[in-house]
Amino acid sequence: MTALSRLDRWLMVGLLLLAPLRTMAAESPAPDTPPPTATADPAPPATADPTPIEVSLNLNRETHPIHPFIYGQFIEHLGRCIYGGIWAELLEDRKFFYPPGSPDSPWRKFGTEIGWSLLHDPERIYTGNASVKISMTTRAPDELHGIQQAALGLQADRDYQGHVILAGRGTVKVRLQWGSRPSQSDTATFRLNQQNFGRYPFHFRPGTTTTNGILTLGLESSGAIWIGAASLMPADHVDGLRTDTLKLLRELDSPIYRWPGGNFVSGYDWRDGIGPKDRRPPRKNPAWQGIEPNDFGVDEFIAFCRRLGTEPLVVVNTGLGSPELAAALVQYCNGGPQTIWGRRRAAHGQPQPYGVKWWGVGNEMYGDWQLGHVDLDRYQVRHREFVRAMRAVDPDIRIIAVGATGPWSEGMLTHCAQEMDLLSEHFYCGEQADLEAHVAAIPNAIRDKANAHRRYLSTLPSLKDRSIPIALDEWNYWYGPHLYGELGVRYTLRDALGIARGIHEMVRQSDVIQMANYAQTVNVIGAIKTTAHAAAFDATGLPLKLYRRHFGAQGLELDGDTAPLDVSAALTADRRRLTLAIVNPTLRSYILKLNLANGRTNPQATHHLITGPDPLAFNAPGHDPAIQIHETVLPDFNPAAIAVAPLSVNLYAVPFER
């Protein structure tokens, strides 16, 4: 980030005002396509409004503390959120759920048709339902017969490590190709003569960057082998995590992560995701497309949270699951090594309890799309049974119940208030043709949720002596083509403006909103997007990162109609700085006049600016970003004349004296 003078800042604003705004092509470019620089039909240029907008701020009129959990995130086993986004594994269906060569399998049969056979063998199982058997009756020097997976993203001069689980007899070769020439490949050879499965590691270093690398596993001699599993990862992975994604996750600095779902959780058996990774059975994803390899389970999620310094929020399966299974998961996470499931956790290398505090009990059980959906009356009974079983294991856990504004939330609060600490709410907004309406959709939805819950708090007898805050544990825009895998939509500057306004609204509603989990973190309607070779913040990730790092912790009350601008203010936790945030969702520039009472600002301030050349500007991994956070040190900040550029998110951090 660069430090610019005030003159430079005014020049930048002037350029934005004069630059023609471009429109996007009707068909969105692919994820690797860089943001376009121009189109044939530019939108009207931005204009300036010389009339100042006035707002009054009294530094002594504090509202409510802003809970850091409003900057929470949500990751689900869906599309390329975890596998292909967070997790570093390159191979799909690495445990052979589908028979290689079948239409659903990413593995194809490789080799001549004579003298050998390929079988998806259910009689010799390493994990799941079958292993791959390759048999050959005659020796075929320098010719492999087996299986092959293509479309692997490889980078030149980067080390890759992997392994294959093998049993049987014969000469096995593992070959990685990064081009069509013989010199653009490398091979590892293993001579097998054992009936028990063993792990055979290999290491490669491609010489060319490609998105069409090919891994071949084959038999070169007469004999028969069984392949139980295979793996290929960049050698610089961190506990199985992609290093480029991990870097951005650290910058995002979310204080809490919700996992594993989402719709996925209602058909998920957490026991499939513990123990040695190669032994964990592959399953058909119960809610979404693709195969769940169970490589990222509860132990990996806790390790993920610890590496990021964040709180885990684990959701239990109240769809097809049972209270006993949920209680066992609580014990696996929080029980001592002398307990049944605590002993199993210790056997997996984690003798100390994880101490998971936050637990979601079910997901969207009000919807008929949810596995195990029942009506409200039956679900209230189910919820109480689950919570009773879970609290019997650990009475100190905090419970987030399933809510949905209207009869479902009312019913849960009426009959289950003693069995919850927060109530979940979800919403997603579609696309609006009008720019300001599109940006306003997010804060309007948040305000509606908050107002509904205030009515519940004031009218329901069950809440007379008990306050149940909202956990807005899924919220976002959701529209557009899937460019980054399943539900992998691209976001633009107008979406970033809406997310920033959403944070403002949560700050204003912080008396009833204690937690929010942006859905989802990576690729799937994500704040971060990845390709095979790169990761980058999408437009919506930038305000989440900015406000988490720089906005204050104590809300302040503002007076005055600031429309069309959205203005929010807070004090930092030490009460030494004022943070003032301004969103301008229009094509006009404005001057904001801040009338400050009970304090005087220091003229030296820091200005963080998110903007871009037009409402539909976007970022693409591997290319220079069209939308960034610009940081400017201002030596002469004047609260009476704050310039607000069009299409911008502005966050000022201002020291002050009382």
Side-chain angles (χ1 to χ4, degrees), residues 513-550:
I513 297 179
Q514 182 175 324
M515 184 186 296
N517 302 80
Y518 175 93
Q520 295 179 11
T521 311
V522 181
N523 285 328
V524 176
I525 51 175
I528 293 168
K529 295 300 196 301
T530 71
T531 60
H533 302 138
F537 278 111
D538 208 341
T540 55
L542 296 176
L544 293 165
K545 170 185 171 180
L546 174 62
Y547 282 75
R548 166 63 174 152
R549 286 179 171 266
H550 296 290

mmCIF file of all heavy atoms in Angstrom, residues 513-550:
data_model
loop_
_atom_site.group_PDB
_atom_site.id
_atom_site.type_symbol
_atom_site.label_atom_id
_atom_site.label_comp_id
_atom_site.label_asym_id
_atom_site.label_seq_id
_atom_site.Cartn_x
_atom_site.Cartn_y
_atom_site.Cartn_z
ATOM 1 N N ILE A 513 -27.419 -8.305 16.937
ATOM 2 C CA ILE A 513 -26.580 -9.151 16.081
ATOM 3 C C ILE A 513 -25.221 -9.326 16.752
ATOM 4 O O ILE A 513 -24.464 -8.366 16.908
ATOM 5 C CB ILE A 513 -26.407 -8.553 14.676
ATOM 6 C CG1 ILE A 513 -27.766 -8.476 13.968
ATOM 7 C CG2 ILE A 513 -25.426 -9.392 13.853
ATOM 8 C CD1 ILE A 513 -27.714 -7.881 12.576
ATOM 9 N N GLN A 514 -24.917 -10.546 17.144
ATOM 10 C CA GLN A 514 -23.661 -10.835 17.835
ATOM 11 C C GLN A 514 -22.667 -11.556 16.941
ATOM 12 O O GLN A 514 -21.462 -11.513 17.176
ATOM 13 C CB GLN A 514 -23.917 -11.686 19.078
ATOM 14 C CG GLN A 514 -22.659 -12.002 19.882
ATOM 15 C CD GLN A 514 -22.956 -12.731 21.168
ATOM 16 O OE1 GLN A 514 -23.965 -12.478 21.819
ATOM 17 N NE2 GLN A 514 -22.093 -13.654 21.546
ATOM 18 N N MET A 515 -23.150 -12.210 15.906
ATOM 19 C CA MET A 515 -22.269 -13.000 15.045
ATOM 20 C C MET A 515 -22.793 -12.946 13.625
ATOM 21 O O MET A 515 -24.001 -12.855 13.392
ATOM 22 C CB MET A 515 -22.219 -14.456 15.521
ATOM 23 C CG MET A 515 -21.257 -15.346 14.744
ATOM 24 S SD MET A 515 -21.359 -17.092 15.240
ATOM 25 C CE MET A 515 -20.808 -17.008 16.944
ATOM 26 N N ALA A 516 -21.871 -12.982 12.669
ATOM 27 C CA ALA A 516 -22.225 -13.105 11.255
ATOM 28 C C ALA A 516 -21.115 -13.894 10.580
ATOM 29 O O ALA A 516 -19.936 -13.695 10.867
ATOM 30 C CB ALA A 516 -22.395 -11.739 10.603
ATOM 31 N N ASN A 517 -21.485 -14.787 9.670
ATOM 32 C CA ASN A 517 -20.509 -15.622 8.972
ATOM 33 C C ASN A 517 -20.738 -15.471 7.473
ATOM 34 O O ASN A 517 -21.713 -16.003 6.933
ATOM 35 C CB ASN A 517 -20.638 -17.083 9.386
ATOM 36 C CG ASN A 517 -20.468 -17.266 10.883
ATOM 37 O OD1 ASN A 517 -21.404 -17.033 11.647
ATOM 38 N ND2 ASN A 517 -19.296 -17.674 11.299
ATOM 39 N N TYR A 518 -19.850 -14.701 6.844
ATOM 40 C CA TYR A 518 -19.946 -14.497 5.405
ATOM 41 C C TYR A 518 -19.852 -15.852 4.711
ATOM 42 O O TYR A 518 -18.966 -16.651 4.991
ATOM 43 C CB TYR A 518 -18.813 -13.585 4.938
ATOM 44 C CG TYR A 518 -18.732 -13.387 3.446
ATOM 45 C CD1 TYR A 518 -19.363 -12.310 2.840
ATOM 46 C CD2 TYR A 518 -18.010 -14.266 2.652
ATOM 47 C CE1 TYR A 518 -19.277 -12.123 1.471
ATOM 48 C CE2 TYR A 518 -17.928 -14.094 1.286
ATOM 49 C CZ TYR A 518 -18.563 -13.022 0.694
ATOM 50 O OH TYR A 518 -18.471 -12.853 -0.660
ATOM 51 N N ALA A 519 -20.777 -16.095 3.775
ATOM 52 C CA ALA A 519 -20.833 -17.389 3.092
ATOM 53 C C ALA A 519 -20.556 -17.184 1.601
ATOM 54 O O ALA A 519 -21.288 -16.451 0.951
ATOM 55 C CB ALA A 519 -22.218 -18.010 3.281
ATOM 56 N N GLN A 520 -19.503 -17.849 1.086
ATOM 57 C CA GLN A 520 -18.512 -18.627 1.818
ATOM 58 C C GLN A 520 -17.145 -18.010 1.574
ATOM 59 O O GLN A 520 -17.014 -17.104 0.757
ATOM 60 C CB GLN A 520 -18.534 -20.076 1.367
ATOM 61 C CG GLN A 520 -19.848 -20.783 1.690
ATOM 62 C CD GLN A 520 -19.841 -22.239 1.209
ATOM 63 O OE1 GLN A 520 -18.867 -22.826 0.818
ATOM 64 N NE2 GLN A 520 -21.031 -22.810 1.233
ATOM 65 N N THR A 521 -16.125 -18.555 2.200
ATOM 66 C CA THR A 521 -14.839 -17.891 2.179
ATOM 67 C C THR A 521 -14.121 -18.004 0.847
ATOM 68 O O THR A 521 -13.577 -17.023 0.339
ATOM 69 C CB THR A 521 -13.946 -18.452 3.302
ATOM 70 O OG1 THR A 521 -14.683 -18.452 4.530
ATOM 71 C CG2 THR A 521 -12.693 -17.621 3.474
ATOM 72 N N VAL A 522 -14.082 -19.214 0.262
ATOM 73 C CA VAL A 522 -13.250 -19.444 -0.920
ATOM 74 C C VAL A 522 -14.086 -20.037 -2.058
ATOM 75 O O VAL A 522 -14.795 -21.035 -1.865
ATOM 76 C CB VAL A 522 -12.067 -20.384 -0.594
ATOM 77 C CG1 VAL A 522 -11.191 -20.601 -1.827
ATOM 78 C CG2 VAL A 522 -11.226 -19.817 0.546
ATOM 79 N N ASN A 523 -14.002 -19.408 -3.225
ATOM 80 C CA ASN A 523 -14.583 -19.867 -4.498
ATOM 81 C C ASN A 523 -16.100 -19.936 -4.486
ATOM 82 O O ASN A 523 -16.762 -19.270 -5.294
ATOM 83 C CB ASN A 523 -13.994 -21.224 -4.915
ATOM 84 C CG ASN A 523 -12.571 -21.082 -5.441
ATOM 85 O OD1 ASN A 523 -12.200 -20.080 -6.048
ATOM 86 N ND2 ASN A 523 -11.750 -22.090 -5.185
ATOM 87 N N VAL A 524 -16.707 -20.725 -3.624
ATOM 88 C CA VAL A 524 -18.160 -20.881 -3.597
ATOM 89 C C VAL A 524 -18.773 -19.597 -3.029
ATOM 90 O O VAL A 524 -18.657 -19.328 -1.834
ATOM 91 C CB VAL A 524 -18.560 -22.092 -2.730
ATOM 92 C CG1 VAL A 524 -20.069 -22.190 -2.614
ATOM 93 C CG2 VAL A 524 -17.977 -23.369 -3.309
ATOM 94 N N ILE A 525 -19.419 -18.808 -3.919
ATOM 95 C CA ILE A 525 -19.885 -17.461 -3.533
ATOM 96 C C ILE A 525 -18.862 -16.809 -2.593
ATOM 97 O O ILE A 525 -19.214 -16.232 -1.566
ATOM 98 C CB ILE A 525 -21.318 -17.483 -2.948
ATOM 99 C CG1 ILE A 525 -21.497 -18.506 -1.823
ATOM 100 C CG2 ILE A 525 -22.345 -17.733 -4.035
ATOM 101 C CD1 ILE A 525 -22.880 -18.460 -1.156
ATOM 102 N N GLY A 526 -17.596 -16.871 -2.973
ATOM 103 C CA GLY A 526 -16.502 -16.645 -2.038
ATOM 104 C C GLY A 526 -15.868 -15.269 -2.087
ATOM 105 O O GLY A 526 -15.848 -14.589 -3.115
ATOM 106 N N ALA A 527 -15.276 -14.890 -0.957
ATOM 107 C CA ALA A 527 -14.520 -13.650 -0.833
ATOM 108 C C ALA A 527 -13.132 -13.773 -1.429
ATOM 109 O O ALA A 527 -12.473 -12.768 -1.708
ATOM 110 C CB ALA A 527 -14.410 -13.263 0.643
ATOM 111 N N ILE A 528 -12.652 -15.003 -1.593
ATOM 112 C CA ILE A 528 -11.362 -15.297 -2.199
ATOM 113 C C ILE A 528 -11.614 -16.247 -3.362
ATOM 114 O O ILE A 528 -12.413 -17.171 -3.249
ATOM 115 C CB ILE A 528 -10.402 -15.945 -1.175
ATOM 116 C CG1 ILE A 528 -10.035 -14.945 -0.070
ATOM 117 C CG2 ILE A 528 -9.139 -16.475 -1.854
ATOM 118 C CD1 ILE A 528 -9.326 -15.578 1.112
ATOM 119 N N LYS A 529 -10.947 -16.006 -4.497
ATOM 120 C CA LYS A 529 -11.080 -16.896 -5.644
ATOM 121 C C LYS A 529 -9.717 -17.480 -5.985
ATOM 122 O O LYS A 529 -8.683 -16.817 -5.840
ATOM 123 C CB LYS A 529 -11.646 -16.139 -6.851
ATOM 124 C CG LYS A 529 -13.078 -15.627 -6.646
ATOM 125 C CD LYS A 529 -14.053 -16.753 -6.383
ATOM 126 C CE LYS A 529 -15.511 -16.355 -6.564
ATOM 127 N NZ LYS A 529 -15.973 -15.263 -5.713
ATOM 128 N N THR A 530 -9.721 -18.728 -6.455
ATOM 129 C CA THR A 530 -8.472 -19.397 -6.808
ATOM 130 C C THR A 530 -8.570 -20.013 -8.197
ATOM 131 O O THR A 530 -9.651 -20.380 -8.660
ATOM 132 C CB THR A 530 -8.116 -20.514 -5.806
ATOM 133 O OG1 THR A 530 -9.018 -21.609 -5.962
ATOM 134 C CG2 THR A 530 -8.149 -20.025 -4.378
ATOM 135 N N THR A 531 -7.413 -20.102 -8.849
ATOM 136 C CA THR A 531 -7.239 -20.931 -10.028
ATOM 137 C C THR A 531 -6.177 -21.966 -9.685
ATOM 138 O O THR A 531 -5.718 -22.039 -8.537
ATOM 139 C CB THR A 531 -6.805 -20.089 -11.241
ATOM 140 O OG1 THR A 531 -5.563 -19.447 -10.931
ATOM 141 C CG2 THR A 531 -7.849 -19.049 -11.579
ATOM 142 N N ALA A 532 -5.744 -22.732 -10.659
ATOM 143 C CA ALA A 532 -4.734 -23.760 -10.393
ATOM 144 C C ALA A 532 -3.441 -23.159 -9.891
ATOM 145 O O ALA A 532 -2.720 -23.784 -9.100
ATOM 146 C CB ALA A 532 -4.478 -24.569 -11.663
ATOM 147 N N HIS A 533 -3.150 -21.919 -10.292
ATOM 148 C CA HIS A 533 -1.840 -21.341 -9.998
ATOM 149 C C HIS A 533 -1.884 -20.082 -9.143
ATOM 150 O O HIS A 533 -0.824 -19.543 -8.808
ATOM 151 C CB HIS A 533 -1.117 -20.999 -11.311
ATOM 152 C CG HIS A 533 -0.921 -22.167 -12.215
ATOM 153 N ND1 HIS A 533 -1.108 -22.104 -13.580
ATOM 154 C CD2 HIS A 533 -0.577 -23.452 -11.943
ATOM 155 C CE1 HIS A 533 -0.869 -23.294 -14.111
ATOM 156 N NE2 HIS A 533 -0.556 -24.122 -13.143
ATOM 157 N N ALA A 534 -3.050 -19.586 -8.797
ATOM 158 C CA ALA A 534 -3.091 -18.289 -8.111
ATOM 159 C C ALA A 534 -4.330 -18.190 -7.230
ATOM 160 O O ALA A 534 -5.309 -18.911 -7.412
ATOM 161 C CB ALA A 534 -3.080 -17.143 -9.136
ATOM 162 N N ALA A 535 -4.266 -17.260 -6.272
ATOM 163 C CA ALA A 535 -5.399 -16.932 -5.406
ATOM 164 C C ALA A 535 -5.440 -15.422 -5.249
ATOM 165 O O ALA A 535 -4.392 -14.758 -5.238
ATOM 166 C CB ALA A 535 -5.258 -17.604 -4.039
ATOM 167 N N ALA A 536 -6.641 -14.867 -5.137
ATOM 168 C CA ALA A 536 -6.773 -13.414 -5.020
ATOM 169 C C ALA A 536 -8.053 -13.077 -4.285
ATOM 170 O O ALA A 536 -9.023 -13.848 -4.298
ATOM 171 C CB ALA A 536 -6.781 -12.760 -6.408
ATOM 172 N N PHE A 537 -8.069 -11.905 -3.659
ATOM 173 C CA PHE A 537 -9.298 -11.406 -3.068
ATOM 174 C C PHE A 537 -10.262 -11.021 -4.171
ATOM 175 O O PHE A 537 -9.928 -10.252 -5.079
ATOM 176 C CB PHE A 537 -9.034 -10.184 -2.186
ATOM 177 C CG PHE A 537 -8.569 -10.526 -0.804
ATOM 178 C CD1 PHE A 537 -7.277 -10.251 -0.403
ATOM 179 C CD2 PHE A 537 -9.434 -11.123 0.099
ATOM 180 C CE1 PHE A 537 -6.844 -10.567 0.873
ATOM 181 C CE2 PHE A 537 -9.017 -11.448 1.382
ATOM 182 C CZ PHE A 537 -7.715 -11.169 1.768
ATOM 183 N N ASP A 538 -11.465 -11.572 -4.115
ATOM 184 C CA ASP A 538 -12.532 -11.072 -4.959
ATOM 185 C C ASP A 538 -12.991 -9.737 -4.378
ATOM 186 O O ASP A 538 -12.587 -9.343 -3.270
ATOM 187 C CB ASP A 538 -13.675 -12.081 -5.006
ATOM 188 C CG ASP A 538 -14.472 -11.999 -6.295
ATOM 189 O OD1 ASP A 538 -14.386 -10.972 -6.988
ATOM 190 O OD2 ASP A 538 -15.195 -12.961 -6.624
ATOM 191 N N ALA A 539 -13.848 -9.043 -5.100
ATOM 192 C CA ALA A 539 -14.246 -7.698 -4.668
ATOM 193 C C ALA A 539 -14.828 -7.693 -3.263
ATOM 194 O O ALA A 539 -14.518 -6.804 -2.448
ATOM 195 C CB ALA A 539 -15.247 -7.119 -5.666
ATOM 196 N N THR A 540 -15.659 -8.676 -2.923
ATOM 197 C CA THR A 540 -16.330 -8.664 -1.623
ATOM 198 C C THR A 540 -15.381 -8.958 -0.466
ATOM 199 O O THR A 540 -15.693 -8.644 0.685
ATOM 200 C CB THR A 540 -17.474 -9.688 -1.604
ATOM 201 O OG1 THR A 540 -16.944 -10.979 -1.956
ATOM 202 C CG2 THR A 540 -18.571 -9.304 -2.583
ATOM 203 N N GLY A 541 -14.229 -9.566 -0.754
ATOM 204 C CA GLY A 541 -13.280 -9.842 0.323
ATOM 205 C C GLY A 541 -12.598 -8.595 0.850
ATOM 206 O O GLY A 541 -12.164 -8.563 2.011
ATOM 207 N N LEU A 542 -12.514 -7.547 0.033
ATOM 208 C CA LEU A 542 -11.748 -6.362 0.432
ATOM 209 C C LEU A 542 -12.392 -5.593 1.582
ATOM 210 O O LEU A 542 -11.712 -5.233 2.543
ATOM 211 C CB LEU A 542 -11.519 -5.471 -0.786
ATOM 212 C CG LEU A 542 -10.658 -6.114 -1.881
ATOM 213 C CD1 LEU A 542 -10.560 -5.201 -3.092
ATOM 214 C CD2 LEU A 542 -9.269 -6.445 -1.349
ATOM 215 N N PRO A 543 -13.715 -5.294 1.547
ATOM 216 C CA PRO A 543 -14.288 -4.626 2.725
ATOM 217 C C PRO A 543 -14.261 -5.492 3.979
ATOM 218 O O PRO A 543 -14.087 -4.969 5.087
ATOM 219 C CB PRO A 543 -15.723 -4.293 2.297
ATOM 220 C CG PRO A 543 -16.004 -5.161 1.128
ATOM 221 C CD PRO A 543 -14.688 -5.387 0.454
ATOM 222 N N LEU A 544 -14.413 -6.813 3.834
ATOM 223 C CA LEU A 544 -14.330 -7.689 5.004
ATOM 224 C C LEU A 544 -12.951 -7.593 5.644
ATOM 225 O O LEU A 544 -12.827 -7.508 6.871
ATOM 226 C CB LEU A 544 -14.628 -9.129 4.599
ATOM 227 C CG LEU A 544 -16.062 -9.417 4.130
ATOM 228 C CD1 LEU A 544 -16.128 -10.759 3.427
ATOM 229 C CD2 LEU A 544 -17.039 -9.370 5.295
ATOM 230 N N LYS A 545 -11.919 -7.602 4.832
ATOM 231 C CA LYS A 545 -10.554 -7.463 5.325
ATOM 232 C C LYS A 545 -10.332 -6.075 5.933
ATOM 233 O O LYS A 545 -9.771 -5.941 7.026
ATOM 234 C CB LYS A 545 -9.582 -7.702 4.175
ATOM 235 C CG LYS A 545 -8.140 -7.354 4.467
ATOM 236 C CD LYS A 545 -7.280 -7.519 3.218
ATOM 237 C CE LYS A 545 -5.886 -6.970 3.420
ATOM 238 N NZ LYS A 545 -5.045 -7.117 2.203
ATOM 239 N N LEU A 546 -10.783 -5.043 5.238
ATOM 240 C CA LEU A 546 -10.540 -3.668 5.684
ATOM 241 C C LEU A 546 -11.201 -3.376 7.030
ATOM 242 O O LEU A 546 -10.553 -2.874 7.958
ATOM 243 C CB LEU A 546 -11.057 -2.698 4.622
ATOM 244 C CG LEU A 546 -11.017 -1.209 4.986
ATOM 245 C CD1 LEU A 546 -9.590 -0.750 5.227
ATOM 246 C CD2 LEU A 546 -11.682 -0.381 3.884
ATOM 247 N N TYR A 547 -12.484 -3.659 7.153
ATOM 248 C CA TYR A 547 -13.200 -3.325 8.392
ATOM 249 C C TYR A 547 -12.719 -4.174 9.556
ATOM 250 O O TYR A 547 -12.623 -3.689 10.684
ATOM 251 C CB TYR A 547 -14.708 -3.498 8.191
ATOM 252 C CG TYR A 547 -15.368 -2.357 7.443
ATOM 253 C CD1 TYR A 547 -15.199 -2.221 6.072
ATOM 254 C CD2 TYR A 547 -16.155 -1.431 8.099
ATOM 255 C CE1 TYR A 547 -15.794 -1.188 5.371
ATOM 256 C CE2 TYR A 547 -16.774 -0.385 7.415
ATOM 257 C CZ TYR A 547 -16.581 -0.267 6.049
ATOM 258 O OH TYR A 547 -17.174 0.768 5.356
ATOM 259 N N ARG A 548 -12.425 -5.438 9.298
ATOM 260 C CA ARG A 548 -11.918 -6.300 10.378
ATOM 261 C C ARG A 548 -10.626 -5.735 10.953
ATOM 262 O O ARG A 548 -10.412 -5.751 12.165
ATOM 263 C CB ARG A 548 -11.700 -7.710 9.830
ATOM 264 C CG ARG A 548 -10.876 -8.637 10.716
ATOM 265 C CD ARG A 548 -11.523 -8.916 12.042
ATOM 266 N NE ARG A 548 -10.771 -9.905 12.804
ATOM 267 C CZ ARG A 548 -10.752 -9.975 14.124
ATOM 268 N NH1 ARG A 548 -11.429 -9.103 14.860
ATOM 269 N NH2 ARG A 548 -10.059 -10.919 14.735
ATOM 270 N N ARG A 549 -9.767 -5.194 10.110
ATOM 271 C CA ARG A 549 -8.457 -4.732 10.558
ATOM 272 C C ARG A 549 -8.478 -3.308 11.107
ATOM 273 O O ARG A 549 -7.660 -2.965 11.957
ATOM 274 C CB ARG A 549 -7.452 -4.816 9.407
ATOM 275 C CG ARG A 549 -7.018 -6.247 9.089
ATOM 276 C CD ARG A 549 -6.050 -6.304 7.929
ATOM 277 N NE ARG A 549 -5.487 -7.652 7.799
ATOM 278 C CZ ARG A 549 -4.349 -8.036 8.347
ATOM 279 N NH1 ARG A 549 -3.640 -7.182 9.048
ATOM 280 N NH2 ARG A 549 -3.906 -9.271 8.197
ATOM 281 N N HIS A 550 -9.398 -2.466 10.620
ATOM 282 C CA HIS A 550 -9.248 -1.046 10.907
ATOM 283 C C HIS A 550 -10.478 -0.358 11.497
ATOM 284 O O HIS A 550 -10.362 0.790 11.953
ATOM 285 C CB HIS A 550 -8.827 -0.299 9.631
ATOM 286 C CG HIS A 550 -7.483 -0.719 9.116
ATOM 287 N ND1 HIS A 550 -6.312 -0.419 9.773
ATOM 288 C CD2 HIS A 550 -7.133 -1.432 8.014
ATOM 289 C CE1 HIS A 550 -5.288 -0.914 9.088
ATOM 290 N NE2 HIS A 550 -5.762 -1.537 8.036
#
